[in-house]
Coordinates of all heavy atoms in Angstrom, one line a residue:
M18 N 18.7 31.2 8.1 CA 19.6 31.8 7.1 C 19.6 31.0 5.7 O 19.7 29.8 5.8 CB 21.0 31.9 7.7 CG 22.0 32.3 6.6 SD 23.7 32.3 7.2 CE 24.2 30.8 6.5
A19 N 19.4 31.5 4.6 CA 19.5 30.7 3.4 C 21.0 30.4 3.0 O 21.8 31.1 3.4 CB 18.8 31.5 2.4
K20 N 21.0 29.2 2.3 CA 22.4 28.8 2.1 C 23.1 29.9 1.2 O 22.5 30.3 0.1 CB 22.4 27.5 1.4 CG 23.8 27.0 1.2 CD 23.8 25.5 0.8 CE 25.1 25.1 0.5 NZ 25.4 23.7 0.7
I21 N 24.3 30.3 1.4 CA 25.0 31.4 0.6 C 25.8 30.7 -0.6 O 26.1 29.5 -0.4 CB 25.9 32.2 1.4 CG1 27.0 31.4 2.1 CG2 25.1 33.1 2.4 CD1 28.1 32.2 2.5
K22 N 25.9 31.4 -1.5 CA 26.6 30.7 -2.7 C 28.0 31.5 -2.8 O 28.3 32.2 -3.9 CB 25.8 31.0 -4.0 CG 24.7 30.1 -3.9 CD 23.8 30.1 -5.2 CE 22.5 29.5 -5.0 NZ 22.0 28.4 -5.6
L23 N 28.8 31.3 -1.9 CA 30.2 31.8 -1.8 C 31.1 30.6 -1.7 O 30.9 29.7 -0.8 CB 30.5 32.8 -0.8 CG 29.7 34.1 -0.7 CD1 30.0 35.0 0.4 CD2 30.3 35.0 -2.0
R24 N 32.4 30.5 -2.3 CA 33.2 29.5 -2.2 C 34.6 30.2 -2.1 O 35.3 30.6 -3.1 CB 33.3 28.6 -3.4 CG 34.1 27.3 -3.2 CD 34.1 26.5 -4.3 NE 32.9 26.4 -5.1 CZ 32.8 25.7 -6.2 NH1 33.7 25.1 -6.8 NH2 31.6 25.7 -6.8
P25 N 35.1 30.2 -0.8 CA 36.3 30.9 -0.6 C 37.4 30.3 -1.2 O 37.4 29.0 -1.2 CB 36.4 31.2 0.9 CG 35.5 30.0 1.4 CD 34.4 29.8 0.3
L26 N 38.5 30.8 -1.6 CA 39.7 30.3 -2.3 C 40.7 30.0 -1.2 O 40.8 30.9 -0.2 CB 40.2 31.1 -3.3 CG 39.2 31.4 -4.4 CD1 39.9 32.3 -5.6 CD2 38.7 30.1 -5.1
D27 N 41.7 29.1 -1.4 CA 42.7 28.7 -0.5 C 42.3 28.7 1.0 O 41.5 28.0 1.4 CB 43.9 29.7 -0.8 CG 44.4 29.6 -2.3 OD1 44.3 28.5 -2.9 OD2 44.7 30.6 -2.9
D28 N 43.1 29.6 1.7 CA 43.0 29.4 3.2 C 41.9 30.5 3.6 O 42.0 31.0 4.8 CB 44.3 29.7 3.9 CG 45.0 30.9 3.6 OD1 44.6 31.6 2.6 OD2 45.8 31.3 4.5
R29 N 41.1 31.1 2.7 CA 40.1 31.9 3.2 C 38.9 31.4 3.7 O 38.5 30.2 3.5 CB 39.7 32.8 2.1 CG 40.8 33.8 1.7 CD 40.5 34.7 0.5 NE 41.5 35.6 0.1 CZ 42.6 35.2 -0.7 NH1 42.7 34.0 -1.2 NH2 43.6 36.1 -1.0
V30 N 38.2 32.1 4.7 CA 37.0 31.6 5.5 C 36.0 32.7 5.5 O 36.3 33.8 5.5 CB 37.5 31.4 7.0 CG1 36.2 30.9 7.8 CG2 38.5 30.3 7.1
V31 N 34.7 32.2 5.2 CA 33.5 33.3 5.2 C 32.9 33.2 6.6 O 32.5 32.0 7.0 CB 32.6 32.8 4.0 CG1 31.4 33.9 4.0 CG2 33.2 32.9 2.7
V32 N 32.7 34.3 7.2 CA 32.2 34.4 8.6 C 31.0 35.2 8.5 O 31.0 36.3 7.9 CB 33.3 34.8 9.6 CG1 32.6 35.1 10.9 CG2 34.4 33.9 9.5
Q33 N 29.8 34.8 9.2 CA 28.7 35.7 9.4 C 28.9 36.4 10.8 O 28.8 35.6 11.8 CB 27.5 35.0 9.2 CG 26.3 36.0 9.3 CD 25.0 35.3 9.0 OE1 24.7 34.0 9.3 NE2 24.1 35.9 8.4
P34 N 29.1 37.6 10.8 CA 29.4 38.2 12.2 C 28.1 38.1 13.0 O 27.0 38.3 12.5 CB 29.7 39.7 11.9 CG 30.1 39.7 10.5 CD 29.3 38.5 9.8
L35 N 28.2 37.9 14.3 CA 27.1 37.9 15.4 C 26.9 39.3 15.6 O 27.7 40.2 15.4 CB 27.5 37.2 16.4 CG 27.8 35.6 16.3 CD1 28.4 35.0 17.6 CD2 26.7 34.9 15.8
E36 N 25.7 39.6 16.1 CA 25.1 41.0 16.4 C 26.0 41.5 17.5 O 26.4 40.8 18.4 CB 23.6 41.0 16.6 CG 22.8 40.5 15.7 CD 22.9 41.5 14.4 OE1 22.9 42.7 14.6 OE2 22.9 41.1 13.1
A37 N 26.3 42.8 17.3 CA 27.0 43.6 18.4 C 26.1 43.7 19.6 O 24.8 43.8 19.5 CB 27.4 45.0 17.9
E38 N 26.7 43.9 20.9 CA 25.9 44.1 22.0 C 25.2 45.4 21.9 O 25.7 46.4 21.7 CB 26.7 44.0 23.3 CG 27.4 42.6 23.5 CD 26.3 41.6 23.9 OE1 25.4 42.0 24.7 OE2 26.5 40.5 23.6
E39 N 23.8 45.5 22.3 CA 23.1 46.7 22.3 C 22.9 47.3 23.7 O 22.5 48.4 23.8 CB 21.6 46.4 21.7 CG 21.7 46.0 20.2 CD 20.4 45.8 19.6 OE1 19.4 46.1 20.3 OE2 20.4 45.2 18.5
V40 N 23.3 46.5 24.7 CA 23.1 46.9 26.1 C 24.4 46.6 26.9 O 24.9 45.5 26.7 CB 21.9 46.2 26.8 CG1 21.8 46.6 28.2 CG2 20.6 46.4 26.1
T41 N 24.9 47.6 27.5 CA 26.2 47.5 28.3 C 25.9 46.5 29.6 O 24.7 46.4 29.8 CB 26.7 48.7 28.7 OG1 25.9 49.3 29.7 CG2 27.0 49.7 27.6
A42 N 26.9 46.1 30.2 CA 26.8 45.4 31.4 C 26.1 46.1 32.5 O 25.3 45.4 33.4 CB 28.1 45.0 31.9
G43 N 26.2 47.5 32.5 CA 25.4 48.4 33.4 C 23.9 48.6 33.1 O 23.3 49.3 33.8
G44 N 23.5 48.0 31.9 CA 22.2 48.3 31.4 C 21.8 49.4 30.6 O 20.9 49.8 30.3
I45 N 22.9 50.2 30.1 CA 22.8 51.3 29.2 C 22.6 50.8 27.8 O 23.4 49.9 27.2 CB 24.0 52.3 29.2 CG1 24.2 52.8 30.7 CG2 23.9 53.3 28.3 CD1 25.5 53.5 31.0
V46 N 21.5 51.2 27.1 CA 21.2 50.9 25.7 C 22.1 51.8 24.8 O 22.0 53.0 24.9 CB 19.7 51.1 25.3 CG1 19.5 50.7 24.0 CG2 18.9 50.3 26.4
L47 N 22.8 51.1 23.9 CA 23.7 51.8 23.0 C 23.1 52.0 21.7 O 22.4 51.0 21.1 CB 25.0 51.0 22.8 CG 25.8 50.8 24.0 CD1 27.1 49.8 23.6 CD2 26.5 52.1 24.5
P48 N 23.1 53.2 21.1 CA 22.6 53.5 19.7 C 23.5 52.7 18.8 O 24.7 52.4 19.1 CB 22.7 55.1 19.6 CG 23.7 55.4 20.7 CD 23.7 54.5 21.8
G49 N 23.0 52.6 17.6 CA 23.8 51.8 16.6 C 25.2 52.4 16.4 O 26.2 51.6 16.2
A50 N 25.4 53.6 16.3 CA 26.7 54.2 16.0 C 27.7 54.0 17.1 O 28.8 54.0 16.9 CB 26.5 55.7 15.9
A51 N 27.3 53.9 18.3 CA 28.2 53.6 19.5 C 28.6 52.1 19.7 O 29.4 51.8 20.5 CB 27.6 54.2 20.7
Q52 N 27.9 51.3 19.0 CA 28.0 49.8 19.2 C 29.5 49.5 18.6 O 29.9 49.9 17.6 CB 27.0 48.9 18.6 CG 25.7 49.2 19.2 CD 24.6 48.3 18.5 OE1 24.9 47.6 17.6 NE2 23.3 48.6 19.0
E53 N 30.0 48.6 19.3 CA 31.3 47.9 18.9 C 31.2 47.2 17.7 O 30.1 46.5 17.5 CB 32.0 47.0 19.9 CG 32.6 47.8 21.2 CD 33.9 48.6 20.8 OE1 34.7 47.9 20.2 OE2 34.1 49.7 21.3
K54 N 32.1 47.1 16.8 CA 32.1 46.1 15.6 C 32.2 44.8 16.1 O 33.0 44.5 17.0 CB 33.3 46.4 14.6 CG 33.2 47.8 13.9 CD 34.4 47.9 13.0 CE 33.8 47.4 11.6 NZ 34.6 47.6 10.6
P55 N 31.3 43.9 15.7 CA 31.4 42.6 16.1 C 32.7 41.9 15.9 O 33.2 42.1 14.8 CB 30.2 41.9 15.4 CG 29.8 42.8 14.3 CD 30.4 44.1 14.7
Q56 N 33.2 41.1 16.8 CA 34.4 40.5 16.5 C 34.2 38.8 16.7 O 35.2 38.1 16.7 CB 35.5 40.9 17.7 CG 35.9 42.3 17.5 CD 37.0 42.7 18.4 OE1 36.4 43.4 19.5 NE2 38.1 42.5 18.2
R57 N 33.0 38.4 16.8 CA 32.6 37.1 16.9 C 31.7 36.9 15.6 O 31.0 37.6 15.3 CB 32.0 36.7 18.1 CG 32.8 36.8 19.3 CD 32.0 36.6 20.7 NE 31.9 35.0 20.9 CZ 31.6 34.5 21.9 NH1 31.6 35.2 23.0 NH2 31.3 33.3 22.1
G58 N 31.9 35.6 15.2 CA 31.0 35.2 14.1 C 30.9 33.7 13.8 O 31.7 32.9 14.5
K59 N 30.2 33.3 13.0 CA 29.9 31.8 12.8 C 30.4 31.6 11.3 O 30.2 32.3 10.4 CB 28.4 31.4 12.8 CG 28.1 30.1 12.7 CD 26.7 29.7 12.8 CE 26.5 28.4 12.8 NZ 25.0 27.8 12.9
V60 N 31.2 30.6 11.2 CA 31.9 30.1 9.9 C 30.8 29.5 9.0 O 30.2 28.6 9.4 CB 33.1 29.2 10.2 CG1 33.6 28.7 8.9 CG2 34.2 29.7 11.0
V61 N 30.5 30.0 7.9 CA 29.5 29.5 7.0 C 30.1 28.8 5.7 O 29.5 28.2 5.1 CB 28.6 30.7 6.6 CG1 27.8 31.1 7.8 CG2 29.3 31.8 5.8
A62 N 31.4 29.1 5.4 CA 32.1 28.5 4.3 C 33.6 28.6 4.4 O 34.2 29.5 5.0 CB 31.6 29.2 3.0
V63 N 34.4 27.6 4.0 CA 35.9 27.4 4.2 C 36.4 27.0 2.8 O 35.8 26.4 2.0 CB 36.2 26.5 5.2 CG1 35.8 26.9 6.6 CG2 35.8 25.1 4.9
G64 N 37.6 27.5 2.5 CA 38.3 27.2 1.4 C 38.9 25.8 1.4 O 38.8 25.1 2.4
A65 N 39.7 25.6 0.4 CA 40.2 24.2 0.3 C 41.5 24.0 1.1 O 42.0 22.9 1.3 CB 40.5 23.8 -1.1
G66 N 42.1 25.2 1.5 CA 43.3 25.2 2.2 C 44.5 25.7 1.4 O 44.4 25.8 0.2
K67 N 45.4 26.3 2.1 CA 46.6 26.9 1.4 C 47.4 25.8 0.7 O 47.6 24.8 1.1 CB 47.5 27.6 2.5 CG 48.6 28.4 1.7 CD 49.4 29.2 3.0 CE 50.3 30.0 2.3 NZ 51.1 30.9 3.3
L68 N 47.8 26.3 -0.6 CA 48.6 25.4 -1.4 C 50.1 25.4 -0.9 O 50.8 26.4 -0.8 CB 48.6 25.7 -2.8 CG 49.1 24.9 -3.8 CD1 48.5 23.4 -3.8 CD2 49.0 25.4 -5.3
L69 N 50.6 24.2 -0.5 CA 51.9 24.0 0.1 C 52.8 23.9 -1.1 O 52.5 23.4 -2.1 CB 51.9 22.9 1.1 CG 50.8 23.1 2.2 CD1 51.0 21.7 3.1 CD2 51.1 24.2 3.1
D70 N 54.2 24.0 -0.7 CA 55.3 23.9 -1.6 C 55.2 22.4 -2.2 O 55.6 22.2 -3.4 CB 56.6 24.2 -1.1 CG 56.8 25.6 -0.9 OD1 56.1 26.4 -1.4 OD2 57.7 25.9 0.1
S71 N 54.8 21.5 -1.4 CA 54.8 20.0 -1.9 C 53.7 19.8 -2.9 O 53.5 18.6 -3.4 CB 54.6 19.3 -0.7 OG 53.2 19.5 0.0
G72 N 52.7 20.8 -3.0 CA 51.7 20.6 -4.0 C 50.4 20.1 -3.4 O 49.3 20.1 -3.9
K73 N 50.5 19.8 -2.1 CA 49.3 19.4 -1.2 C 48.7 20.6 -0.7 O 49.2 21.7 -0.7 CB 49.7 18.3 -0.2 CG 50.3 17.0 -0.6 CD 50.5 16.1 0.4 CE 51.1 14.9 -0.1 NZ 51.6 14.0 1.0
R74 N 47.5 20.4 -0.4 CA 46.6 21.6 0.5 C 46.8 21.5 2.0 O 46.7 20.2 2.5 CB 45.1 21.5 0.1 CG 45.0 21.7 -1.4 CD 44.7 23.2 -1.5 NE 44.4 23.5 -3.0 CZ 44.5 24.7 -3.4 NH1 44.6 25.8 -2.6 NH2 44.3 24.9 -4.8
G75 N 47.1 22.5 2.7 CA 47.2 22.5 4.1 C 45.8 22.4 4.6 O 44.8 23.1 4.2
E76 N 45.6 21.7 5.7 CA 44.3 21.6 6.3 C 43.9 22.7 7.2 O 44.8 23.3 8.0 CB 44.3 20.2 7.2 CG 42.7 19.9 7.6 CD 42.9 18.5 8.2 OE1 43.4 17.7 7.7 OE2 42.2 18.4 9.4
L77 N 42.8 23.3 7.1 CA 42.3 24.4 7.9 C 41.9 23.9 9.4 O 41.4 22.7 9.4 CB 40.9 25.2 7.3 CG 41.2 25.8 5.9 CD1 40.0 26.3 5.4 CD2 42.3 26.8 6.1
S78 N 42.1 24.9 10.2 CA 41.7 24.6 11.7 C 40.4 24.8 12.0 O 40.0 24.5 13.1 CB 42.7 25.5 12.6 OG 44.0 25.4 12.3
V79 N 39.5 25.5 11.1 CA 38.1 25.7 11.4 C 37.2 25.0 10.4 O 37.7 24.8 9.3 CB 37.9 27.3 11.3 CG1 38.6 28.0 12.5 CG2 38.3 27.9 10.1
T80 N 36.0 24.7 10.8 CA 35.2 24.0 9.9 C 33.9 24.9 9.9 O 33.6 25.7 10.9 CB 34.8 22.7 10.2 OG1 34.3 22.6 11.7 CG2 36.0 21.8 10.2
V81 N 33.0 24.6 8.9 CA 31.6 25.4 8.9 C 30.8 25.0 10.2 O 30.8 23.9 10.6 CB 30.8 24.7 7.6 CG1 29.4 25.3 7.7 CG2 31.6 25.3 6.4
G82 N 30.3 26.0 10.8 CA 29.5 25.9 12.1 C 30.3 26.3 13.3 O 29.7 26.6 14.3
D83 N 31.6 26.4 13.2 CA 32.4 26.9 14.4 C 32.2 28.3 14.5 O 31.9 29.2 13.7 CB 34.0 26.8 14.0 CG 34.5 25.4 13.9 OD1 33.8 24.5 14.5 OD2 35.7 25.1 13.5
E84 N 32.2 28.8 15.9 CA 32.1 30.2 16.3 C 33.5 30.6 16.5 O 34.3 29.9 17.2 CB 31.3 30.3 17.5 CG 31.1 31.7 17.9 CD 30.0 31.8 19.0 OE1 29.2 31.1 19.1 OE2 30.2 32.8 19.8
V85 N 33.9 31.7 15.9 CA 35.4 32.3 15.9 C 35.3 33.6 16.3 O 34.4 34.5 16.4 CB 36.0 32.0 14.6 CG1 36.1 30.7 14.2 CG2 35.2 32.8 13.5
I86 N 36.6 34.0 16.9 CA 36.8 35.5 17.2 C 37.8 35.9 16.2 O 38.8 35.3 16.0 CB 37.3 35.6 18.7 CG1 36.2 35.1 19.7 CG2 37.7 36.9 18.9 CD1 36.7 35.0 21.1
F87 N 37.6 37.2 15.6 CA 38.5 37.6 14.6 C 38.9 39.1 15.0 O 38.2 39.7 15.7 CB 37.9 37.6 13.3 CG 36.5 38.1 13.1 CD1 36.3 39.5 12.9 CD2 35.4 37.2 13.3 CE1 35.1 39.9 12.7 CE2 34.1 37.7 13.2 CZ 34.0 39.1 13.0
G88 N 40.0 39.5 14.4 CA 40.5 40.9 14.6 C 39.3 41.9 14.2 O 38.6 41.8 13.1
K89 N 39.2 43.0 14.9 CA 38.1 44.0 14.6 C 38.1 44.6 13.2 O 37.1 44.8 12.6 CB 38.5 45.1 15.6 CG 37.3 46.1 15.7 CD 37.6 47.3 16.7 CE 37.4 46.9 18.1 NZ 37.3 47.8 19.1
Y90 N 39.4 44.7 12.7 CA 39.4 45.3 11.4 C 39.9 44.4 10.3 O 40.3 44.8 9.2 CB 40.4 46.6 11.3 CG 39.7 47.6 12.2 CD1 40.3 47.8 13.4 CD2 38.6 48.3 11.9 CE1 39.8 48.7 14.4 CE2 38.1 49.3 13.0 CZ 38.7 49.5 14.0 OH 38.1 50.3 15.0
G91 N 39.9 43.0 10.6 CA 40.5 42.1 9.7 C 39.4 41.7 8.6 O 38.4 41.8 8.8
G92 N 40.0 41.2 7.5 CA 39.3 40.8 6.4 C 38.6 41.9 5.7 O 38.7 43.0 5.7
S93 N 37.7 41.3 4.7 CA 36.8 42.2 4.0 C 35.3 41.9 4.1 O 35.0 40.8 4.1 CB 37.2 41.9 2.4 OG 38.5 42.1 2.1
E94 N 34.7 43.0 4.1 CA 33.2 43.0 4.3 C 32.6 42.8 3.0 O 32.8 43.6 2.1 CB 32.7 44.1 5.1 CG 33.2 44.2 6.6 CD 32.8 45.4 7.4 OE1 32.2 46.2 6.8 OE2 33.1 45.4 8.6
V95 N 31.6 42.0 2.9 CA 30.8 41.8 1.8 C 29.3 41.6 2.1 O 29.1 41.1 3.1 CB 31.2 40.6 0.7 CG1 32.7 40.7 0.3 CG2 31.1 39.4 1.5
E96 N 28.4 42.0 1.1 CA 27.0 41.7 1.2 C 26.5 40.8 0.2 O 26.7 41.0 -0.9 CB 26.3 43.1 1.3 CG 24.8 43.0 1.6 CD 24.1 44.4 1.6 OE1 24.7 45.4 2.0 OE2 23.0 44.5 1.2
V97 N 25.8 39.8 0.6 CA 25.2 38.9 -0.4 C 23.8 38.6 0.1 O 23.5 38.3 1.1 CB 26.0 37.5 -0.3 CG1 25.3 36.4 -1.2 CG2 27.4 37.5 -0.6
N98 N 22.9 38.9 -0.8 CA 21.4 38.8 -0.7 C 21.0 39.6 0.7 O 20.1 39.0 1.4 CB 21.0 37.3 -0.5 CG 21.2 36.6 -1.8 OD1 21.2 37.1 -2.8 ND2 21.5 35.2 -1.6
G99 N 21.5 40.8 0.8 CA 21.1 41.7 2.0 C 21.7 41.2 3.3 O 21.3 41.9 4.2
E100 N 22.6 40.3 3.4 CA 23.2 39.8 4.7 C 24.7 40.0 4.6 O 25.4 40.1 3.6 CB 23.1 38.2 4.8 CG 21.7 37.8 5.0 CD 21.6 36.4 5.4 OE1 22.0 36.0 6.5 OE2 21.3 35.5 4.5
E101 N 25.2 40.5 5.7 CA 26.7 40.8 5.8 C 27.5 39.6 6.1 O 27.2 38.8 7.0 CB 26.9 41.9 6.8 CG 26.1 43.2 6.7 CD 26.7 44.0 5.6 OE1 28.0 44.0 5.4 OE2 26.0 44.7 4.7
F102 N 28.8 39.5 5.5 CA 29.6 38.5 5.8 C 31.0 39.1 5.8 O 31.3 40.3 5.1 CB 29.6 37.4 4.7 CG 28.3 36.7 4.7 CD1 27.3 37.1 3.7 CD2 28.1 35.7 5.5 CE1 26.1 36.4 3.7 CE2 26.8 35.0 5.4 CZ 25.9 35.4 4.6
K103 N 32.0 38.5 6.4 CA 33.4 38.9 6.4 C 34.1 37.7 5.6 O 33.9 36.6 6.0 CB 33.9 39.0 7.7 CG 33.7 40.4 8.3 CD 34.4 40.5 9.5 CE 35.3 41.8 9.7 NZ 35.7 42.9 9.0
I104 N 35.1 38.1 4.8 CA 35.9 37.0 4.3 C 37.4 37.3 4.8 O 37.8 38.3 4.6 CB 35.9 37.0 2.7 CG1 34.5 36.8 2.0 CG2 36.9 36.2 2.1 CD1 34.5 37.0 0.6
L105 N 37.8 36.3 5.5 CA 39.1 36.4 6.2 C 40.0 35.3 5.8 O 39.6 34.2 5.4 CB 38.8 36.1 7.8 CG 37.8 37.1 8.5 CD1 37.3 36.2 9.7 CD2 38.5 38.3 8.8
R106 N 41.3 35.5 5.9 CA 42.2 34.4 5.8 C 42.2 33.7 7.1 O 41.9 34.3 8.1 CB 43.7 34.9 5.5 CG 43.9 35.6 4.3 CD 45.3 35.6 3.8 NE 45.5 36.1 2.5 CZ 45.6 35.2 1.4 NH1 45.5 34.0 1.7 NH2 45.8 35.7 0.2
E107 N 42.6 32.5 7.1 CA 42.6 31.7 8.4 C 43.6 32.4 9.4 O 43.1 32.3 10.6 CB 43.0 30.3 8.2 CG 43.0 29.4 9.5 CD 43.4 28.0 9.2 OE1 44.3 27.8 8.4 OE2 42.9 27.1 9.9
S108 N 44.5 33.0 9.0 CA 45.5 33.6 10.0 C 44.9 34.9 10.6 O 45.4 35.3 11.6 CB 46.8 34.0 9.2 OG 46.5 34.9 8.1
D109 N 43.7 35.5 10.1 CA 43.1 36.7 10.7 C 42.2 36.2 11.8 O 41.7 37.1 12.7 CB 42.3 37.4 9.6 CG 43.1 38.2 8.6 OD1 44.2 38.4 9.0 OD2 42.8 38.3 7.5
I110 N 41.9 34.9 11.9 CA 41.1 34.3 13.0 C 42.0 34.2 14.2 O 43.1 33.5 14.3 CB 40.4 33.0 12.6 CG1 39.5 33.2 11.4 CG2 39.7 32.5 13.8 CD1 38.9 32.0 10.8
L111 N 41.5 34.8 15.3 CA 42.3 34.7 16.5 C 42.2 33.6 17.4 O 43.0 33.1 18.1 CB 42.2 36.1 17.4 CG 42.2 37.4 16.6 CD1 41.9 38.5 17.5 CD2 43.7 37.6 16.1
A112 N 40.9 33.0 17.5 CA 40.5 32.0 18.3 C 39.2 31.3 17.9 O 38.4 31.9 17.2 CB 40.4 32.4 19.8
K113 N 38.9 30.0 18.3 CA 37.8 29.3 18.1 C 37.2 29.2 19.4 O 37.8 28.9 20.4 CB 38.1 27.9 17.4 CG 36.9 27.1 17.1 CD 37.1 25.9 16.3 CE 38.3 25.1 16.4 NZ 38.3 23.8 15.6
V114 N 35.8 29.5 19.5 CA 35.1 29.4 20.7 C 34.8 28.0 20.9 O 34.0 27.4 20.1 CB 33.7 30.4 20.7 CG1 33.0 30.2 22.0 CG2 34.2 31.8 20.4
V115 N 35.1 27.6 22.1 CA 34.7 26.0 22.3 C 33.9 26.0 23.6 O 34.1 26.8 24.4 CB 36.1 25.1 22.6 CG1 36.8 25.0 21.2 CG2 36.9 25.7 23.6
G116 N 33.1 25.0 23.7 CA 32.3 24.8 24.9 C 31.0 25.6 25.2 O 30.7 26.5 24.6

């Protein structure tokens, strides 16, 4: 993947969704229209953090390279150089995949 030129603002995170499963657990191959929207992705850029009342920036819980799970319909989808990305608020991220 080429380095993208997006700099999210505040507590926003740019995520590259991972590919949807093409084969079910039972071995059935799904056509593109029947595949679930991906809910996992890799963080490729993070903002500086939410501006707090004190004037300081809140630290984000995710960093570039983390694999995360996000809400199915959360965030905004954008296309940059032919690649799909999602821009989410940190609060739209449900979990960080560890291990």
Side-chain angles (χ1 to χ4, degrees):
M18 177 187 100
K20 186 168 178 153
I21 62 166
K22 295 188 190 242
L23 289 176
R24 186 179 329 169
L26 302 176
D27 295 329
D28 65 337
R29 289 180 178 86
V30 177
V31 179
V32 175
Q33 185 171 34
L35 299 177
E36 293 299 316
E38 293 292 324
E39 295 180 13
V40 180
T41 66
I45 299 171
V46 177
L47 296 173
Q52 292 175 9
E53 286 284 320
K54 288 185 104 174
Q56 292 179 262
R57 287 176 83 150
K59 185 174 182 182
V60 176
V61 294
V63 296
K67 187 174 185 176
L68 188 59
L69 305 174
D70 291 336
S71 64
K73 295 182 181 180
R74 294 270 177 192
E76 192 173 313
L77 295 175
S78 305
V79 295
T80 59
V81 173
D83 285 347
E84 188 174 323
V85 295
I86 297 173
F87 50 86
K89 191 179 284 193
Y90 301 106
S93 300
E94 295 178 357
V95 295
E96 186 175 323
V97 178
N98 297 333
E100 292 189 75
E101 295 288 327
F102 296 96
K103 275 188 132 355
I104 299 177
L105 308 157
R106 287 198 175 274
E107 184 183 30
S108 60
D109 291 334
I110 295 173
L111 305 174
K113 183 167 35 171
V114 178
V115 293

